[in-house]
Amino acid sequence: MDERQALAAFGALSQETRLQIVRLLVVAGAGGMAAGALAEKVEVSPSNISFHLKELERAGLITQQRESRSIIYRADYDAFGGLIRFLMEDCCGGHPEICSSAAAVAPCCAPSGGER
C-alpha cells in the first residue's frame, strides 16, 4: 500500500457511520451483509448508506457482489492488512521487537470469515 492509498483509507474511516459499517462488515466475515441490513444496523436511510458504501469502496476497503436481487458488501481483509503493514513498516525506529504486541493481533484478521 502506498501513501496515497493509506490516506484514502484513513479519510474514509474518519467518518463515524463509515467506521461503524466497516466494523459490522469485519464481524460479518466472508458472508458479508446486504446494504439494507447495514442501513438498519447503523440507522441511516438507503440513500445515505449508498453514499457511505461508495466512499468505502472507492477507498478500497470493501467489495461488493451481486447475489440475486441484493448487493452483498464485504470487508476487504487484504486492504486492511496492507493498511496495517503500511503503519508498521517503519515501526519503532528499527526496533521491531517493540511492536511485537501490535503485530501479534494480525492473525485474528485472517479472511477466513472474520472470526476472532
Side-chain angles (χ1 to χ4, degrees):
M1 174 169 290
D2 64 26
E3 188 170 312
R4 181 189 55 79
Q5 292 167 312
L7 286 169
F10 285 124
L13 291 171
S14 69
Q15 199 280 336
E16 181 180 2
T17 302
R18 290 193 287 271
L19 184 58
Q20 289 174 344
I21 292 167
V22 165
R23 294 185 75 188
L24 286 168
L25 291 175
V26 168
V27 170
M33 291 180 75
L38 286 165
E40 274 184 36
K41 290 276 192 182
V42 298
E43 300 177 347
V44 297
S45 68
S47 62
N48 196 299
I49 198 78
S50 186
F51 168 77
H52 290 300
L53 291 168
K54 191 174 294 189
E55 289 296 312
L56 290 167
E57 191 173 15
R58 186 175 299 133
L61 297 173
I62 65 171
T63 61
Q64 66 167 289
Q65 180 179 5
R66 180 166 291 283
E67 291 184 9
S68 187
R69 295 179 60 189
S70 297
I71 297 178
I72 304 299
Y73 292 87
R74 294 177 179 87
D76 186 331
Y77 294 101
D78 289 337
F80 284 103
L83 191 56
I84 292 167
R85 281 188 299 280
F86 174 83
L87 288 173
M88 306 278 300
E89 69 185 10
D90 297 321
C91 183
C92 306
H95 300 283
E97 67 278 3
I98 296 171
C99 298
S100 62
S101 62
V105 300
C108 77
C109 301
S112 63
E115 294 88 23
R116 297 180 193 185

